Amino acid sequence: MKAGQFFSGKDVRIKQVQKPIPKKDEALIKVSSAGICGTDMMIFFGKHPRAEAPLIMGHEFSGIIDSINGVSDFTVGDRVVIEPTISCGKCPACEAGQMHVCQELKLIGIDMDGGFAEYVTVPINRLHRVPKELSLSVAALAEPLAVAVHTVRRSSLKIGENVAILGAGPIGLLIGMIAKLNGANNIFISDISPYRLEKAKDLGLHPINAGEKDVVDGILSYTNGKLIDTVFEVAGTETTLEQTVKLIKTQGKIVVVSVFKNRPLIDLTSMHFNEISLTTTRCYSKDDFRTAIDIMAGGKVDISAVISHQLKIEEIEKGFSLMGEPDKSLKILIQP
């Protein structure tokens, strides 16, 4: 079968590899669509601490069951989307039912071969049915949408609150969609990419071009100086982290979504005197994943708006190149 394999920094190539055979309690999936995400880019640049070459990346993907090795309610031909997290089931987090923060958490497409291939094997218990209302290409985005669902839940967002999102990549835009769905009032979103900010405007968000104006001043000019109830940091820079503290109201909440590569500085003194809550978010629970599918199937958000390209697997190198150009791309789907 064809597969897009990662070999070393900036080296992803199409190779002919052996079609996998499902082990006990696994299903063989004929992949329909697989999204390139920021984590894949980290692997691509050789900066992911766990990913080891050669590796077939791709943890956001949908497809059709080709075969099943085990007892299951699923059948050959079912359309499915894959929840890629693999938990140990034994650590304190797992025993407490918080499988998504397992101490030994692994992901399909990072710790084992994933969806940038014609076929992939996955545990049966990682499968979710795709409702008939959903195309398989849109269903592939259940994973990033689940991240947004989990993030907004972690924020305890209340109806009518003003929100700021720092970073207008796919996750930032999806957080904006879910915040809007949950009753947020004004939703501001900043970035340096005019292309992504235009997408944000189309989605009913208030875009702030960080390359043209001070983000804090720009947002507070809209609110007549009123500080923000909840701020989501989704860019992963010290600049945006500093902006969160300047934007947040007394007793407001900052939610850090980014995974910082280096230890950042943050103004804890200001946070202390204003009783600011700081929370973080990682992955999603099974319930978040199911909720994401239900939201898409119900047409409650236009998730297709974040899809900028759909490429054949032979174009995977082009896909990774486009991902490095935020003025030209958002979510890129690879379709074997």
Side-chain angles (χ1 to χ4, degrees), residues 243-278:
Q243 290 165 353
T244 65
V245 180
K246 292 180 178 179
L247 283 168
I248 199 71
K249 72 172 188 178
T250 299
Q251 294 188 332
K253 179 171 282 189
I254 295 169
V255 184
V256 177
V257 185
S258 304
V259 178
F260 281 79
K261 298 173 182 63
N262 299 304
R263 293 182 180 181
L265 296 174
I266 188 166
D267 185 0
L268 287 177
T269 302
S270 294
M271 293 180 65
H272 174 85
F273 284 111
N274 291 290
E275 290 195 339
I276 306 304
S277 296
L278 175 66

PDB file of all heavy atoms in Angstrom, residues 243-278:
ATOM      1  N   GLN A 243      -0.047  38.834  26.865  1.00  0.00           N
ATOM      2  CA  GLN A 243      -1.306  39.501  26.516  1.00  0.00           C
ATOM      3  C   GLN A 243      -2.484  38.945  27.310  1.00  0.00           C
ATOM      4  O   GLN A 243      -3.418  39.686  27.659  1.00  0.00           O
ATOM      5  CB  GLN A 243      -1.573  39.361  25.018  1.00  0.00           C
ATOM      6  CG  GLN A 243      -0.630  40.182  24.155  1.00  0.00           C
ATOM      7  CD  GLN A 243      -0.651  39.778  22.697  1.00  0.00           C
ATOM      8  OE1 GLN A 243      -1.286  38.787  22.304  1.00  0.00           O
ATOM      9  NE2 GLN A 243       0.048  40.539  21.869  1.00  0.00           N
ATOM     10  N   THR A 244      -2.454  37.657  27.622  1.00  0.00           N
ATOM     11  CA  THR A 244      -3.572  37.076  28.382  1.00  0.00           C
ATOM     12  C   THR A 244      -3.741  37.779  29.723  1.00  0.00           C
ATOM     13  O   THR A 244      -4.868  38.074  30.144  1.00  0.00           O
ATOM     14  CB  THR A 244      -3.373  35.560  28.636  1.00  0.00           C
ATOM     15  OG1 THR A 244      -2.241  35.351  29.486  1.00  0.00           O
ATOM     16  CG2 THR A 244      -3.216  34.777  27.355  1.00  0.00           C
ATOM     17  N   VAL A 245      -2.627  38.061  30.401  1.00  0.00           N
ATOM     18  CA  VAL A 245      -2.687  38.689  31.722  1.00  0.00           C
ATOM     19  C   VAL A 245      -3.163  40.134  31.612  1.00  0.00           C
ATOM     20  O   VAL A 245      -3.896  40.635  32.469  1.00  0.00           O
ATOM     21  CB  VAL A 245      -1.321  38.613  32.423  1.00  0.00           C
ATOM     22  CG1 VAL A 245      -1.378  39.265  33.804  1.00  0.00           C
ATOM     23  CG2 VAL A 245      -0.868  37.158  32.549  1.00  0.00           C
ATOM     24  N   LYS A 246      -2.777  40.824  30.540  1.00  0.00           N
ATOM     25  CA  LYS A 246      -3.187  42.218  30.349  1.00  0.00           C
ATOM     26  C   LYS A 246      -4.659  42.333  29.964  1.00  0.00           C
ATOM     27  O   LYS A 246      -5.292  43.364  30.228  1.00  0.00           O
ATOM     28  CB  LYS A 246      -2.314  42.869  29.273  1.00  0.00           C
ATOM     29  CG  LYS A 246      -0.866  43.061  29.700  1.00  0.00           C
ATOM     30  CD  LYS A 246      -0.050  43.711  28.599  1.00  0.00           C
ATOM     31  CE  LYS A 246       1.393  43.960  29.051  1.00  0.00           C
ATOM     32  NZ  LYS A 246       2.201  44.571  27.973  1.00  0.00           N
ATOM     33  N   LEU A 247      -5.200  41.292  29.349  1.00  0.00           N
ATOM     34  CA  LEU A 247      -6.586  41.331  28.868  1.00  0.00           C
ATOM     35  C   LEU A 247      -7.603  40.856  29.905  1.00  0.00           C
ATOM     36  O   LEU A 247      -8.765  41.263  29.865  1.00  0.00           O
ATOM     37  CB  LEU A 247      -6.728  40.453  27.619  1.00  0.00           C
ATOM     38  CG  LEU A 247      -6.198  41.014  26.306  1.00  0.00           C
ATOM     39  CD1 LEU A 247      -6.143  39.909  25.250  1.00  0.00           C
ATOM     40  CD2 LEU A 247      -7.096  42.158  25.825  1.00  0.00           C
ATOM     41  N   ILE A 248      -7.191  40.005  30.819  1.00  0.00           N
ATOM     42  CA  ILE A 248      -8.160  39.296  31.668  1.00  0.00           C
ATOM     43  C   ILE A 248      -8.698  40.187  32.788  1.00  0.00           C
ATOM     44  O   ILE A 248      -7.967  40.981  33.389  1.00  0.00           O
ATOM     45  CB  ILE A 248      -7.527  38.004  32.235  1.00  0.00           C
ATOM     46  CG1 ILE A 248      -8.599  37.047  32.713  1.00  0.00           C
ATOM     47  CG2 ILE A 248      -6.505  38.312  33.323  1.00  0.00           C
ATOM     48  CD1 ILE A 248      -9.380  36.424  31.598  1.00  0.00           C
ATOM     49  N   LYS A 249      -9.965  40.058  33.082  1.00  0.00           N
ATOM     50  CA  LYS A 249     -10.587  40.848  34.147  1.00  0.00           C
ATOM     51  C   LYS A 249     -10.237  40.264  35.517  1.00  0.00           C
ATOM     52  O   LYS A 249      -9.711  39.142  35.626  1.00  0.00           O
ATOM     53  CB  LYS A 249     -12.111  40.848  33.979  1.00  0.00           C
ATOM     54  CG  LYS A 249     -12.775  39.518  34.320  1.00  0.00           C
ATOM     55  CD  LYS A 249     -14.285  39.623  34.316  1.00  0.00           C
ATOM     56  CE  LYS A 249     -14.923  38.326  34.842  1.00  0.00           C
ATOM     57  NZ  LYS A 249     -16.386  38.412  34.898  1.00  0.00           N
ATOM     58  N   THR A 250     -10.546  41.004  36.568  1.00  0.00           N
ATOM     59  CA  THR A 250     -10.391  40.500  37.925  1.00  0.00           C
ATOM     60  C   THR A 250     -11.244  39.241  38.090  1.00  0.00           C
ATOM     61  O   THR A 250     -12.408  39.208  37.696  1.00  0.00           O
ATOM     62  CB  THR A 250     -10.839  41.556  38.949  1.00  0.00           C
ATOM     63  OG1 THR A 250     -10.011  42.706  38.802  1.00  0.00           O
ATOM     64  CG2 THR A 250     -10.733  41.032  40.366  1.00  0.00           C
ATOM     65  N   GLN A 251     -10.640  38.196  38.622  1.00  0.00           N
ATOM     66  CA  GLN A 251     -11.274  36.882  38.817  1.00  0.00           C
ATOM     67  C   GLN A 251     -11.702  36.228  37.492  1.00  0.00           C
ATOM     68  O   GLN A 251     -12.583  35.370  37.468  1.00  0.00           O
ATOM     69  CB  GLN A 251     -12.468  36.978  39.773  1.00  0.00           C
ATOM     70  CG  GLN A 251     -12.064  37.344  41.200  1.00  0.00           C
ATOM     71  CD  GLN A 251     -13.205  37.258  42.173  1.00  0.00           C
ATOM     72  OE1 GLN A 251     -14.377  37.420  41.827  1.00  0.00           O
ATOM     73  NE2 GLN A 251     -12.873  37.020  43.434  1.00  0.00           N
ATOM     74  N   GLY A 252     -11.053  36.628  36.403  1.00  0.00           N
ATOM     75  CA  GLY A 252     -11.299  35.974  35.124  1.00  0.00           C
ATOM     76  C   GLY A 252     -10.494  34.690  35.003  1.00  0.00           C
ATOM     77  O   GLY A 252      -9.770  34.290  35.925  1.00  0.00           O
ATOM     78  N   LYS A 253     -10.611  34.037  33.853  1.00  0.00           N
ATOM     79  CA  LYS A 253      -9.926  32.752  33.670  1.00  0.00           C
ATOM     80  C   LYS A 253      -9.100  32.770  32.387  1.00  0.00           C
ATOM     81  O   LYS A 253      -9.607  33.110  31.306  1.00  0.00           O
ATOM     82  CB  LYS A 253     -10.921  31.601  33.631  1.00  0.00           C
ATOM     83  CG  LYS A 253     -10.252  30.229  33.416  1.00  0.00           C
ATOM     84  CD  LYS A 253     -11.223  29.078  33.601  1.00  0.00           C
ATOM     85  CE  LYS A 253     -11.459  28.794  35.065  1.00  0.00           C
ATOM     86  NZ  LYS A 253     -12.230  27.547  35.287  1.00  0.00           N
ATOM     87  N   ILE A 254      -7.836  32.374  32.526  1.00  0.00           N
ATOM     88  CA  ILE A 254      -6.943  32.159  31.387  1.00  0.00           C
ATOM     89  C   ILE A 254      -6.851  30.660  31.145  1.00  0.00           C
ATOM     90  O   ILE A 254      -6.609  29.884  32.079  1.00  0.00           O
ATOM     91  CB  ILE A 254      -5.538  32.729  31.675  1.00  0.00           C
ATOM     92  CG1 ILE A 254      -5.599  34.253  31.824  1.00  0.00           C
ATOM     93  CG2 ILE A 254      -4.555  32.341  30.579  1.00  0.00           C
ATOM     94  CD1 ILE A 254      -4.308  34.851  32.360  1.00  0.00           C
ATOM     95  N   VAL A 255      -7.032  30.244  29.891  1.00  0.00           N
ATOM     96  CA  VAL A 255      -6.911  28.830  29.527  1.00  0.00           C
ATOM     97  C   VAL A 255      -5.760  28.690  28.539  1.00  0.00           C
ATOM     98  O   VAL A 255      -5.803  29.244  27.437  1.00  0.00           O
ATOM     99  CB  VAL A 255      -8.209  28.289  28.900  1.00  0.00           C
ATOM    100  CG1 VAL A 255      -8.076  26.789  28.625  1.00  0.00           C
ATOM    101  CG2 VAL A 255      -9.404  28.553  29.815  1.00  0.00           C
ATOM    102  N   VAL A 256      -4.724  27.971  28.945  1.00  0.00           N
ATOM    103  CA  VAL A 256      -3.560  27.758  28.081  1.00  0.00           C
ATOM    104  C   VAL A 256      -3.753  26.458  27.311  1.00  0.00           C
ATOM    105  O   VAL A 256      -3.794  25.369  27.895  1.00  0.00           O
ATOM    106  CB  VAL A 256      -2.254  27.721  28.901  1.00  0.00           C
ATOM    107  CG1 VAL A 256      -1.063  27.419  27.991  1.00  0.00           C
ATOM    108  CG2 VAL A 256      -2.045  29.047  29.620  1.00  0.00           C
ATOM    109  N   VAL A 257      -3.901  26.589  26.007  1.00  0.00           N
ATOM    110  CA  VAL A 257      -4.123  25.430  25.128  1.00  0.00           C
ATOM    111  C   VAL A 257      -2.795  24.978  24.509  1.00  0.00           C
ATOM    112  O   VAL A 257      -2.579  23.794  24.281  1.00  0.00           O
ATOM    113  CB  VAL A 257      -5.137  25.788  24.021  1.00  0.00           C
ATOM    114  CG1 VAL A 257      -5.478  24.562  23.183  1.00  0.00           C
ATOM    115  CG2 VAL A 257      -6.410  26.388  24.627  1.00  0.00           C
ATOM    116  N   SER A 258      -1.918  25.934  24.235  1.00  0.00           N
ATOM    117  CA  SER A 258      -0.638  25.627  23.578  1.00  0.00           C
ATOM    118  C   SER A 258       0.249  24.753  24.459  1.00  0.00           C
ATOM    119  O   SER A 258       0.182  24.811  25.686  1.00  0.00           O
ATOM    120  CB  SER A 258       0.115  26.920  23.274  1.00  0.00           C
ATOM    121  OG  SER A 258      -0.657  27.794  22.495  1.00  0.00           O
ATOM    122  N   VAL A 259       1.091  23.975  23.788  1.00  0.00           N
ATOM    123  CA  VAL A 259       2.163  23.247  24.474  1.00  0.00           C
ATOM    124  C   VAL A 259       3.443  24.052  24.235  1.00  0.00           C
ATOM    125  O   VAL A 259       3.956  24.102  23.112  1.00  0.00           O
ATOM    126  CB  VAL A 259       2.312  21.813  23.938  1.00  0.00           C
ATOM    127  CG1 VAL A 259       3.468  21.112  24.647  1.00  0.00           C
ATOM    128  CG2 VAL A 259       1.017  21.032  24.121  1.00  0.00           C
ATOM    129  N   PHE A 260       3.941  24.713  25.274  1.00  0.00           N
ATOM    130  CA  PHE A 260       5.117  25.557  25.131  1.00  0.00           C
ATOM    131  C   PHE A 260       6.373  24.691  25.048  1.00  0.00           C
ATOM    132  O   PHE A 260       6.569  23.788  25.852  1.00  0.00           O
ATOM    133  CB  PHE A 260       5.213  26.530  26.299  1.00  0.00           C
ATOM    134  CG  PHE A 260       4.299  27.720  26.162  1.00  0.00           C
ATOM    135  CD1 PHE A 260       2.951  27.606  26.459  1.00  0.00           C
ATOM    136  CD2 PHE A 260       4.783  28.928  25.698  1.00  0.00           C
ATOM    137  CE1 PHE A 260       2.098  28.696  26.316  1.00  0.00           C
ATOM    138  CE2 PHE A 260       3.949  30.023  25.553  1.00  0.00           C
ATOM    139  CZ  PHE A 260       2.598  29.911  25.863  1.00  0.00           C
ATOM    140  N   LYS A 261       7.220  25.015  24.085  1.00  0.00           N
ATOM    141  CA  LYS A 261       8.446  24.240  23.887  1.00  0.00           C
ATOM    142  C   LYS A 261       9.519  24.612  24.911  1.00  0.00           C
ATOM    143  O   LYS A 261      10.377  23.814  25.246  1.00  0.00           O
ATOM    144  CB  LYS A 261       8.964  24.461  22.465  1.00  0.00           C
ATOM    145  CG  LYS A 261       7.979  23.984  21.396  1.00  0.00           C
ATOM    146  CD  LYS A 261       8.429  24.373  20.003  1.00  0.00           C
ATOM    147  CE  LYS A 261       7.419  23.933  18.960  1.00  0.00           C
ATOM    148  NZ  LYS A 261       6.120  24.595  19.120  1.00  0.00           N
ATOM    149  N   ASN A 262       9.458  25.855  25.396  1.00  0.00           N
ATOM    150  CA  ASN A 262      10.370  26.318  26.435  1.00  0.00           C
ATOM    151  C   ASN A 262       9.549  26.873  27.597  1.00  0.00           C
ATOM    152  O   ASN A 262       8.396  27.257  27.426  1.00  0.00           O
ATOM    153  CB  ASN A 262      11.295  27.419  25.890  1.00  0.00           C
ATOM    154  CG  ASN A 262      12.148  26.925  24.741  1.00  0.00           C
ATOM    155  OD1 ASN A 262      12.866  25.939  24.878  1.00  0.00           O
ATOM    156  ND2 ASN A 262      12.059  27.588  23.602  1.00  0.00           N
ATOM    157  N   ARG A 263      10.142  26.908  28.787  1.00  0.00           N
ATOM    158  CA  ARG A 263       9.430  27.413  29.950  1.00  0.00           C
ATOM    159  C   ARG A 263       9.165  28.914  29.788  1.00  0.00           C
ATOM    160  O   ARG A 263      10.102  29.704  29.734  1.00  0.00           O
ATOM    161  CB  ARG A 263      10.237  27.159  31.220  1.00  0.00           C
ATOM    162  CG  ARG A 263      10.377  25.678  31.559  1.00  0.00           C
ATOM    163  CD  ARG A 263      11.151  25.497  32.856  1.00  0.00           C
ATOM    164  NE  ARG A 263      11.287  24.087  33.191  1.00  0.00           N
ATOM    165  CZ  ARG A 263      11.898  23.638  34.283  1.00  0.00           C
ATOM    166  NH1 ARG A 263      12.435  24.502  35.134  1.00  0.00           N
ATOM    167  NH2 ARG A 263      11.982  22.347  34.518  1.00  0.00           N
ATOM    168  N   PRO A 264       7.887  29.314  29.742  1.00  0.00           N
ATOM    169  CA  PRO A 264       7.592  30.736  29.537  1.00  0.00           C
ATOM    170  C   PRO A 264       7.559  31.508  30.854  1.00  0.00           C
ATOM    171  O   PRO A 264       7.389  30.938  31.928  1.00  0.00           O
ATOM    172  CB  PRO A 264       6.193  30.696  28.920  1.00  0.00           C
ATOM    173  CG  PRO A 264       5.560  29.485  29.553  1.00  0.00           C
ATOM    174  CD  PRO A 264       6.672  28.482  29.740  1.00  0.00           C
ATOM    175  N   LEU A 265       7.707  32.823  30.731  1.00  0.00           N
ATOM    176  CA  LEU A 265       7.539  33.715  31.870  1.00  0.00           C
ATOM    177  C   LEU A 265       6.094  34.206  31.893  1.00  0.00           C
ATOM    178  O   LEU A 265       5.500  34.457  30.850  1.00  0.00           O
ATOM    179  CB  LEU A 265       8.489  34.914  31.762  1.00  0.00           C
ATOM    180  CG  LEU A 265       9.990  34.609  31.823  1.00  0.00           C
ATOM    181  CD1 LEU A 265      10.776  35.886  31.542  1.00  0.00           C
ATOM    182  CD2 LEU A 265      10.364  34.034  33.184  1.00  0.00           C
ATOM    183  N   ILE A 266       5.534  34.356  33.085  1.00  0.00           N
ATOM    184  CA  ILE A 266       4.181  34.887  33.213  1.00  0.00           C
ATOM    185  C   ILE A 266       4.116  35.764  34.458  1.00  0.00           C
ATOM    186  O   ILE A 266       4.796  35.501  35.459  1.00  0.00           O
ATOM    187  CB  ILE A 266       3.138  33.745  33.282  1.00  0.00           C
ATOM    188  CG1 ILE A 266       1.723  34.308  33.217  1.00  0.00           C
ATOM    189  CG2 ILE A 266       3.344  32.873  34.517  1.00  0.00           C
ATOM    190  CD1 ILE A 266       0.651  33.260  32.952  1.00  0.00           C
ATOM    191  N   ASP A 267       3.329  36.822  34.386  1.00  0.00           N
ATOM    192  CA  ASP A 267       3.241  37.808  35.460  1.00  0.00           C
ATOM    193  C   ASP A 267       2.320  37.291  36.571  1.00  0.00           C
ATOM    194  O   ASP A 267       1.148  37.645  36.652  1.00  0.00           O
ATOM    195  CB  ASP A 267       2.721  39.131  34.894  1.00  0.00           C
ATOM    196  CG  ASP A 267       2.703  40.245  35.923  1.00  0.00           C
ATOM    197  OD1 ASP A 267       3.101  40.002  37.081  1.00  0.00           O
ATOM    198  OD2 ASP A 267       2.267  41.353  35.565  1.00  0.00           O
ATOM    199  N   LEU A 268       2.884  36.468  37.452  1.00  0.00           N
ATOM    200  CA  LEU A 268       2.094  35.904  38.545  1.00  0.00           C
ATOM    201  C   LEU A 268       1.696  36.960  39.570  1.00  0.00           C
ATOM    202  O   LEU A 268       0.677  36.804  40.255  1.00  0.00           O
ATOM    203  CB  LEU A 268       2.872  34.780  39.230  1.00  0.00           C
ATOM    204  CG  LEU A 268       2.988  33.473  38.449  1.00  0.00           C
ATOM    205  CD1 LEU A 268       3.859  32.482  39.219  1.00  0.00           C
ATOM    206  CD2 LEU A 268       1.614  32.855  38.185  1.00  0.00           C
ATOM    207  N   THR A 269       2.464  38.027  39.667  1.00  0.00           N
ATOM    208  CA  THR A 269       2.117  39.074  40.632  1.00  0.00           C
ATOM    209  C   THR A 269       0.778  39.725  40.277  1.00  0.00           C
ATOM    210  O   THR A 269      -0.109  39.860  41.127  1.00  0.00           O
ATOM    211  CB  THR A 269       3.229  40.141  40.685  1.00  0.00           C
ATOM    212  OG1 THR A 269       4.461  39.511  41.028  1.00  0.00           O
ATOM    213  CG2 THR A 269       2.904  41.213  41.713  1.00  0.00           C
ATOM    214  N   SER A 270       0.621  40.099  39.000  1.00  0.00           N
ATOM    215  CA  SER A 270      -0.649  40.679  38.567  1.00  0.00           C
ATOM    216  C   SER A 270      -1.785  39.669  38.723  1.00  0.00           C
ATOM    217  O   SER A 270      -2.896  40.028  39.131  1.00  0.00           O
ATOM    218  CB  SER A 270      -0.557  41.128  37.109  1.00  0.00           C
ATOM    219  OG  SER A 270       0.348  42.198  36.977  1.00  0.00           O
ATOM    220  N   MET A 271      -1.500  38.421  38.415  1.00  0.00           N
ATOM    221  CA  MET A 271      -2.522  37.380  38.555  1.00  0.00           C
ATOM    222  C   MET A 271      -2.927  37.224  40.018  1.00  0.00           C
ATOM    223  O   MET A 271      -4.103  37.069  40.347  1.00  0.00           O
ATOM    224  CB  MET A 271      -2.008  36.053  37.996  1.00  0.00           C
ATOM    225  CG  MET A 271      -1.806  36.071  36.491  1.00  0.00           C
ATOM    226  SD  MET A 271      -1.204  34.493  35.875  1.00  0.00           S
ATOM    227  CE  MET A 271      -2.604  33.435  36.245  1.00  0.00           C
ATOM    228  N   HIS A 272      -1.932  37.306  40.904  1.00  0.00           N
ATOM    229  CA  HIS A 272      -2.186  37.164  42.337  1.00  0.00           C
ATOM    230  C   HIS A 272      -3.112  38.268  42.847  1.00  0.00           C
ATOM    231  O   HIS A 272      -4.111  38.002  43.522  1.00  0.00           O
ATOM    232  CB  HIS A 272      -0.854  37.197  43.091  1.00  0.00           C
ATOM    233  CG  HIS A 272      -0.990  37.212  44.580  1.00  0.00           C
ATOM    234  ND1 HIS A 272      -1.130  36.062  45.317  1.00  0.00           N
ATOM    235  CD2 HIS A 272      -1.021  38.239  45.472  1.00  0.00           C
ATOM    236  CE1 HIS A 272      -1.240  36.369  46.598  1.00  0.00           C
ATOM    237  NE2 HIS A 272      -1.168  37.693  46.724  1.00  0.00           N
ATOM    238  N   PHE A 273      -2.794  39.522  42.511  1.00  0.00           N
ATOM    239  CA  PHE A 273      -3.557  40.653  43.048  1.00  0.00           C
ATOM    240  C   PHE A 273      -4.960  40.758  42.433  1.00  0.00           C
ATOM    241  O   PHE A 273      -5.838  41.414  42.990  1.00  0.00           O
ATOM    242  CB  PHE A 273      -2.782  41.953  42.868  1.00  0.00           C
ATOM    243  CG  PHE A 273      -1.662  42.101  43.863  1.00  0.00           C
ATOM    244  CD1 PHE A 273      -0.340  42.045  43.456  1.00  0.00           C
ATOM    245  CD2 PHE A 273      -1.922  42.260  45.214  1.00  0.00           C
ATOM    246  CE1 PHE A 273       0.700  42.161  44.378  1.00  0.00           C
ATOM    247  CE2 PHE A 273      -0.889  42.370  46.140  1.00  0.00           C
ATOM    248  CZ  PHE A 273       0.419  42.320  45.727  1.00  0.00           C
ATOM    249  N   ASN A 274      -5.164  40.104  41.295  1.00  0.00           N
ATOM    250  CA  ASN A 274      -6.487  40.147  40.649  1.00  0.00           C
ATOM    251  C   ASN A 274      -7.216  38.807  40.702  1.00  0.00           C
ATOM    252  O   ASN A 274      -8.251  38.643  40.063  1.00  0.00           O
ATOM    253  CB  ASN A 274      -6.336  40.614  39.198  1.00  0.00           C
ATOM    254  CG  ASN A 274      -5.933  42.069  39.108  1.00  0.00           C
ATOM    255  OD1 ASN A 274      -6.712  42.957  39.413  1.00  0.00           O
ATOM    256  ND2 ASN A 274      -4.691  42.313  38.704  1.00  0.00           N
ATOM    257  N   GLU A 275      -6.679  37.878  41.475  1.00  0.00           N
ATOM    258  CA  GLU A 275      -7.288  36.552  41.648  1.00  0.00           C
ATOM    259  C   GLU A 275      -7.657  35.909  40.315  1.00  0.00           C
ATOM    260  O   GLU A 275      -8.766  35.436  40.103  1.00  0.00           O
ATOM    261  CB  GLU A 275      -8.516  36.630  42.563  1.00  0.00           C
ATOM    262  CG  GLU A 275      -8.171  36.914  44.009  1.00  0.00           C
ATOM    263  CD  GLU A 275      -9.313  36.652  44.971  1.00  0.00           C
ATOM    264  OE1 GLU A 275     -10.492  36.633  44.538  1.00  0.00           O
ATOM    265  OE2 GLU A 275      -9.015  36.442  46.172  1.00  0.00           O
ATOM    266  N   ILE A 276      -6.684  35.889  39.410  1.00  0.00           N
ATOM    267  CA  ILE A 276      -6.890  35.288  38.097  1.00  0.00           C
ATOM    268  C   ILE A 276      -6.726  33.773  38.188  1.00  0.00           C
ATOM    269  O   ILE A 276      -5.783  33.278  38.814  1.00  0.00           O
ATOM    270  CB  ILE A 276      -5.881  35.854  37.073  1.00  0.00           C
ATOM    271  CG1 ILE A 276      -5.932  37.377  37.033  1.00  0.00           C
ATOM    272  CG2 ILE A 276      -6.121  35.256  35.693  1.00  0.00           C
ATOM    273  CD1 ILE A 276      -7.283  37.948  36.751  1.00  0.00           C
ATOM    274  N   SER A 277      -7.622  33.048  37.567  1.00  0.00           N
ATOM    275  CA  SER A 277      -7.506  31.585  37.498  1.00  0.00           C
ATOM    276  C   SER A 277      -6.768  31.203  36.219  1.00  0.00           C
ATOM    277  O   SER A 277      -7.056  31.730  35.142  1.00  0.00           O
ATOM    278  CB  SER A 277      -8.887  30.935  37.503  1.00  0.00           C
ATOM    279  OG  SER A 277      -9.566  31.192  38.710  1.00  0.00           O
ATOM    280  N   LEU A 278      -5.824  30.291  36.350  1.00  0.00           N
ATOM    281  CA  LEU A 278      -5.072  29.779  35.202  1.00  0.00           C
ATOM    282  C   LEU A 278      -5.320  28.289  35.105  1.00  0.00           C
ATOM    283  O   LEU A 278      -5.103  27.542  36.062  1.00  0.00           O
ATOM    284  CB  LEU A 278      -3.577  30.050  35.381  1.00  0.00           C
ATOM    285  CG  LEU A 278      -2.634  29.470  34.312  1.00  0.00           C
ATOM    286  CD1 LEU A 278      -2.879  30.147  32.969  1.00  0.00           C
ATOM    287  CD2 LEU A 278      -1.181  29.630  34.730  1.00  0.00           C
TER     288      LEU A 278
END
